[in-house]
Amino acid sequence: MLKQIPNMMTIGNLICGCLAIVSVFHGQVNYVAIFVTGALILDFLDGFVARMVNAQSEMGKQLDSLADMVTFGVLPGMIMFHLMLKSNYFAIYESRLIFKIFKYYMFVVTAFSCLRLAKFNIDTRQTSSFIGVPTPAITMVIVSLQLMIFHNQLGLQAYLSHPWVLIGIASLCSALLVAELPLISLKFKNFRFTDNKAQYILLISAAVMLPILKFAAVPGIIILYILLSLIYPPSKA
């Protein structure tokens, strides 16, 4: 029974993703954030629990990818699609053929998330670090974008909801998912600062930025994560 707990947690991640998608359709932005937070916690813990109860298996690995495809693949594409449809500017340009096409372009995030997850499963270089930005990080950015637009944080609603800005964000997020960019893992080798400089700097910065900037802190934290990975590149060992 204990060995089934990690798989149950992975299914919980999947269900949170489904509920978040339903919340997108109903315009319940805050619920989307709550369900994604729950999914992130379960996604982080399922592997940890699997190692703790010695329940690591090929089935668990495949189940994890399938759940992630919904929560961190389908969901962010749905959010971007919904943001495009709800944009005040989109209503102005909707009669133009290019924008009728581009509203479906938002699912490029879903397509590249699928590529990212498939690549992760077969790439032996990603056992202790990442190549390309992980799908949960990109989903966090897109959820924070939705929250910033909905709550008009920092008065950025008009800028962030512009169709061309949304197209640019979708394109950038997609590129980051499959970029040949070595990124650090947030797992600590030990508790010594010298061995985990990037991780400590990122966690401390996030703890400072989140209370001050709230939703707007998330894109900044991901940018800092990429920069720290360039400054302190992950070991190839």
Side-chain angles (χ1 to χ4, degrees):
M1 183 63 182
L2 283 176
K3 290 183 181 287
Q4 294 304 316
I5 292 176
N7 288 342
M8 292 170 64
M9 295 176 75
T10 304
I11 293 297
N13 166 14
L14 172 64
I15 291 172
C16 282
C18 292
L19 292 173
I21 291 171
V22 172
S23 299
V24 170
F25 284 127
H26 290 285
Q28 298 169 325
V29 176
N30 293 330
Y31 281 112
V32 173
I34 291 169
F35 288 129
V36 168
T37 300
L40 286 165
I41 293 170
L42 290 169
D43 186 53
F44 176 80
L45 290 178
D46 61 0
F48 175 79
V49 173
R51 289 188 293 272
M52 188 171 65
V53 300
N54 194 26
Q56 293 170 287
S57 66
E58 185 61 28
M59 179 181 174
K61 179 181 177 181
Q62 297 304 321
L63 190 62
D64 189 66
S65 287
L66 291 169
D68 285 354
M69 184 57 215
V70 174
T71 306
F72 308 125
V74 176
L75 173 61
M78 285 289 187
I79 292 173
M80 294 302 295
F81 178 74
H82 189 260
L83 288 177
M84 179 67 93
L85 290 182
K86 292 298 181 181
S87 168
N88 293 330
Y89 295 94
F90 184 75
I92 299 172
Y93 299 128
E94 190 176 10
S95 60
R96 300 182 186 179
L97 178 61
I98 189 170
F99 282 102
K100 287 183 178 180
I101 296 171
F102 268 129
K103 66 182 178 183
Y104 298 110
Y105 175 78
M106 297 295 99
F107 290 108
V108 68
V109 177
T110 298
F112 276 82
S113 295
C114 184
L115 288 172
R116 172 72 176 83
L117 290 166
K119 182 180 177 183
F120 179 79
N121 282 350
I122 62 173
D123 194 340
T124 56
R125 298 174 298 168
Q126 301 193 60
T127 53
S128 59
S129 59
F130 300 112
I131 304 294
V133 179
T135 53
I138 292 298
T139 300
M140 287 169 62
V141 169
I142 291 175
V143 170
S144 70
L145 171 67
Q146 185 184 37
L147 287 166
M148 289 170 68
I149 291 173
F150 183 79
H151 294 286
N152 194 23
Q153 191 179 18
L154 304 177
L156 295 174
Q157 184 184 68
Y159 302 99
L160 294 176
S161 62
H162 194 285
W164 287 118
V165 173
L166 293 173
I167 290 166
I169 291 171
S171 300
L172 178 60
C173 287
S174 299
L176 288 173
L177 282 164
V178 296
E180 284 292 313
L181 187 64
L183 299 172
I184 58 171
S185 169
L186 294 182
K187 296 176 182 177
F188 284 72
K189 303 172 186 176
N190 49 58
F191 292 106
R192 290 196 296 269
F193 179 80
T194 52
D195 294 333
N196 302 280
K197 288 180 182 176
Q199 288 87 342
Y200 274 118
I201 293 171
L202 183 64
L203 289 175
I204 293 169
S205 300
V208 173
M209 293 168 67
L210 283 168
I212 298 172
L213 298 176
K214 297 181 181 178
F215 321 127
V218 177
I221 292 168
I222 301 302
I223 291 170
L224 179 61
Y225 169 56
I226 295 172
L227 291 175
L228 286 171
S229 295
L230 295 175
I231 298 169
Y232 304 104
S235 171
K236 295 181 181 179

